[in-house]
Amino acid sequence: MTRRKLNHPRHGGAPDTARRAALGALGAVGAASLAACRSAASTLAPVAGSDAMAAVSRVEAALANASTTACVITAVETAGPFPLVSVLDNPALVRRDITEGKAGIPLTLTLKIVDHDKACSALSGAAVYIWHCDADGAYSGYSAQERGSRARETFLRGVQLTGGDGRVTFTTIFPGWYVSRLTHIHVQIFLAGTALSSHAVAATTTQLCFPEAVTAAAYDRAALYPQGQNHVTPSYASDPVFGNGIGTELLTVSGSAKTGYHAGIVIGLSSTGTSPESGDARGGHGGPGPGGAGGPPPPGWPPPPFPSFPASPRGIGHPAQGLPGPA
């Protein structure tokens, strides 16, 4: 286990005070939206059918068990070149449903955020920002992509504020894939009281992955995922980010490619920046690759034709829009 201090400021204040500060920082419109999202996201949304309810129950059980059986800090990973942090202060991004009409297998994603410094108790008032590519492997907000420009678009991105249970739930689609990367979802978490902007400092940045059998079943839906199976990066071991382990980043998933998926995970972080890192990461916060400053990168890094890009504090900064790199 790599031990070192995380470089981010301590955020003090009682939970209620900090939460009000976070809401104020987001603005009146954003605050109202966050409150509505938080209320709706306390539990996974019930859907019709016994199979769907069983899927919800399995994910709920995984969330409960992870909170009580293990207390670890989730591996820190690069934010990649497509975080589009310029939208963080946009109230329209405060939402539960981030699909914006994008086609794909429905995915309900629940994240429970816990504080490693407080025996993994639920972290209230944290802003959770997620983003991922569409079924064709394209990210919103960027122009220099193989699949055309998506500039000024915001699909498959969203922000929510955790409630007292530390949870947020997003309605989205199962992500697609692109060359050099396995299927994944990006997550950044900002402590209560952080004013969200392109200069905001995240408490943690990570990436989440899916069981390989789930991914294979999803990509068999050729009508929704025309690229089919990912034979370029077919396993965790061949992925430049997940190649060093997925123990703290693997989602629990229930459901099916036919009816849709429910997925969940507990994300642990250090609210003070003094806890030792644990989990899978062998390196740094948004560095040039999964090895970062704390260890050597895996063989073949960076994957051609993608160049490396500069390190940035806590994974918040990003290179010029459209610059390819490990995402």
Side-chain angles (χ1 to χ4, degrees), residues 48-103:
S50 58
D51 289 344
M53 291 307 298
V56 171
S57 297
R58 182 183 171 204
V59 172
E60 287 286 352
L63 290 172
N65 291 338
S67 298
T68 57
T69 60
C71 185
V72 298
I73 295 178
T74 298
V76 176
E77 305 288 7
T78 175
F82 303 117
L84 200 67
V85 292
S86 60
V87 302
L88 279 175
D89 58 357
N90 181 357
L93 266 288
V94 179
R95 55 190 180 177
R96 174 182 174 127
D97 188 336
I98 65 174
T99 55
E100 291 193 18
K102 281 290 180 178

Side-chain angles (χ1 to χ4, degrees), residues 35-274:
C37 288
R38 186 178 66 248
S39 176
S42 294
T43 59
L44 288 172
V47 292
S50 58
D51 289 344
M53 291 307 298
V56 171
S57 297
R58 182 183 171 204
V59 172
E60 287 286 352
L63 290 172
N65 291 338
S67 298
T68 57
T69 60
C71 185
V72 298
I73 295 178
T74 298
V76 176
E77 305 288 7
T78 175
F82 303 117
L84 200 67
V85 292
S86 60
V87 302
L88 279 175
D89 58 357
N90 181 357
L93 266 288
V94 179
R95 55 190 180 177
R96 174 182 174 127
D97 188 336
I98 65 174
T99 55
E100 291 193 18
K102 281 290 180 178
I105 298 170
L107 172 65
T108 301
L109 175 67
T110 292
L111 309 177
K112 182 175 182 179
I113 316 304
V114 299
D115 188 351
H116 182 268
D117 300 342
K118 298 179 180 178
C120 280
S121 59
L123 190 62
S124 177
V128 181
Y129 174 39
I130 75 166
W131 70 96
H132 63 82
C133 68
D134 65 10
D136 295 321
Y139 284 94
S140 62
Y142 292 84
S143 57
Q145 300 185 76
E146 288 184 14
R147 294 164 183 82
S149 174
R150 302 296 190 277
R152 294 182 294 279
E153 297 185 57
T154 57
F155 58 80
L156 305 178
R157 299 178 184 273
V159 178
Q160 289 191 56
L161 195 70
T162 60
D165 57 3
R167 294 187 181 202
V168 292
T169 295
F170 291 93
T171 299
T172 184
I173 62 168
F174 194 87
W177 63 273
Y178 50 93
V179 173
S180 87
R181 287 307 315 278
L182 201 68
T183 308
H184 61 283
I185 294 176
H186 294 270
V187 182
Q188 282 189 332
I189 301 168
F190 303 85
L191 297 181
T194 302
L196 296 188
S197 72
S198 59
H199 302 293
V201 177
T204 194
T205 300
T206 192
Q207 299 186 28
L208 308 176
C209 60
F210 296 84
E212 289 177 344
V214 170
T215 301
Y219 294 156
D220 277 342
R221 295 286 305 275
L224 293 174
Y225 298 90
Q227 294 189 110
Q229 301 297 328
N230 183 355
H231 298 296
V232 181
T233 311
S235 67
Y236 308 122
S238 59
D239 185 88
V241 171
F242 298 127
N244 60 341
I246 57 168
T248 61
E249 300 161 295
L250 181 63
L251 290 157
T252 295
V253 182
S254 285
S256 71
K258 181 179 180 181
T259 62
Y261 292 112
H262 291 268
I265 196 169
V266 174
I267 297 177
L269 59 81
S270 171
S271 63
T272 64
T274 59

Side-chain angles (χ1 to χ4, degrees), residues 8-38:
H8 69 278
R10 182 185 300 267
H11 295 260
D16 288 343
T17 302
R19 188 158 142 262
R20 285 195 296 270
L23 291 172
L26 284 165
V29 176
S33 300
L34 282 169
C37 288
R38 186 178 66 248

